[in-house]
């Protein structure tokens, strides 16, 4: 199900503000994820941030490999923080992950 038009606009605006130089293909995947039903009750900026981090983690880091090697989710997430922030830096993100922040 597609998000209502106002929500899609808010997601697009938040995505552009958070990731000004992300590749189009990545932005489209993040935009689609941020609009999914399980993130619908969150403000668009939070939904976009969670979708960004999940996308980068799964598509641009060793996260999946760490899980396959037997690491639990929290440990795998910890070990890919630097890789995630490298991608965020390349995409000129306005926000980054902090190892002390347990909300992501």
């Amino acid at each position: 199900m597609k998000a209502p038009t106002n929500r899609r606009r808010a997601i697009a605006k938040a995505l552009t503000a958070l990731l000004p130089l992300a590749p189009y293909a990545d932005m489209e995947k993040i935009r689609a994820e941020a609009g999914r039903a399980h993130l619908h009750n969150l403000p668009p900026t939070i939904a976009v941030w969670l979708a960004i981090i999940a996308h980068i983690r799964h598509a641009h880091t060793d996260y999946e490999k760490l899980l396959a090697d037997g690491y639990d989710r929290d440990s795998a997430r910890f070990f890919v923080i630097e890789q995630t922030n490298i991608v965020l830096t390349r995409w000129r993100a306005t926000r980054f992950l902090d190892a002390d922040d347990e909300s992501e």
Side-chain angles (χ1 to χ4, degrees):
M1 180 172 138
K2 283 194 163 186
T5 302
N6 289 340
R7 174 105 177 144
R8 285 196 310 259
R9 275 194 212 114
I11 286 170
K13 184 177 178 180
L15 184 55
T16 301
L18 285 168
L19 287 181
L21 293 180
Y24 180 78
D26 290 293
M27 287 187 75
E28 286 305 301
K29 290 176 183 175
I30 293 166
R31 185 185 332 272
E33 182 63 27
R36 291 191 51 203
H38 70 282
L39 297 175
H40 180 73
N41 291 327
L42 297 173
T45 54
I46 294 173
V48 166
W49 177 247
L50 293 175
I52 288 168
I53 297 308
H55 174 73
I56 292 173
R57 187 181 288 141
H58 289 278
H60 297 279
T61 71
D62 295 330
Y63 180 73
E64 296 287 341
K65 183 181 181 310
L66 291 169
L67 291 177
D69 288 346
Y71 286 88
D72 63 79
R73 267 184 13 189
D74 290 336
S75 296
R77 287 177 179 185
F78 175 79
F79 287 120
V80 299
I81 288 173
E82 186 175 343
Q83 289 176 323
T84 302
N85 282 333
I86 288 169
V87 173
L88 289 169
T89 300
R90 193 175 12 181
W91 293 352
R92 302 295 188 255
T94 58
R95 181 177 174 188
F96 298 92
L97 283 181
D98 182 356
D100 297 328
D101 189 0
E102 297 178 16
S103 64
E104 279 95 27

